[in-house]
Amino acid sequence: MTTLRLSVDLDGVSVPLHECDWVLRQPCGCVASMMHAVTSLMALTSEDEAWHEFYCEIPRADKRRRAIAAAREQGHTIALMTIDDAVRAWEVRCTHGQIPEPAQQAPMFDPTDPAGISSDVNA
Ligand SMILES: [Zn+2]
């Protein structure tokens, strides 16, 4: 049986990809979102794949590409980090007054109407 193990070079150190997270940073540098580079379903082996996975809430590929391009233009970045480093970065609270960009791009969740009741009242 063949077992494929992917590893990456992070700052000169070889790290198994399954011990890494992709981290999406806001323009201020704080972490907006993160996800495992390897799950039971997939391995995200490139920055491009990771961008598309962060924006997977946008089902249409052309709209997703536009949203990604806009995010990059605004200064959002992604990086591959060890899970430990990613968690440490995630725990730093953003004091720059920004909200995570993916939340703005994805279909909006209305906290005052969590079940979407008001829009269905007369349906
Ligand atoms: Zn910040």
Side-chain angles (χ1 to χ4, degrees), residues 26 28-30 94-96:
Q26 303 173 143
C28 61
C30 297
C94 177
T95 56
H96 307 98

Side-chain angles (χ1 to χ4, degrees), residues 5-96:
R5 293 189 203 284
L6 300 172
S7 63
V8 291
D9 187 87
L10 293 181
D11 299 324
V13 179
S14 180
V15 180
L17 190 62
H18 69 264
E19 291 177 14
C20 296
D21 277 349
W22 284 101
V23 171
L24 175 64
R25 290 185 185 278
Q26 303 173 143
C28 61
C30 297
V31 176
S33 185
M34 57 195 261
M35 63 188 163
H36 292 312
V38 178
T39 69
S40 59
L41 297 174
M42 63 184 175
L44 299 169
T45 60
S46 74
E47 209 177 297
D48 197 52
E49 288 175 352
W51 272 112
H52 280 267
E53 194 56 30
F54 276 120
Y55 282 77
C56 67
E57 304 265 331
I58 303 172
R60 273 185 49 186
D62 57 336
K63 285 189 174 181
R64 192 180 331 122
R65 270 193 292 274
R66 273 200 295 276
I68 291 168
R72 295 175 87 148
E73 200 155 292
Q74 289 166 13
H76 291 79
T77 59
I78 60 174
L80 189 63
M81 305 169 77
T82 65
I83 292 174
D84 285 350
D85 285 350
V87 168
R88 264 193 292 278
W90 170 258
E91 286 171 348
V92 176
R93 189 188 169 93
C94 177
T95 56
H96 307 98

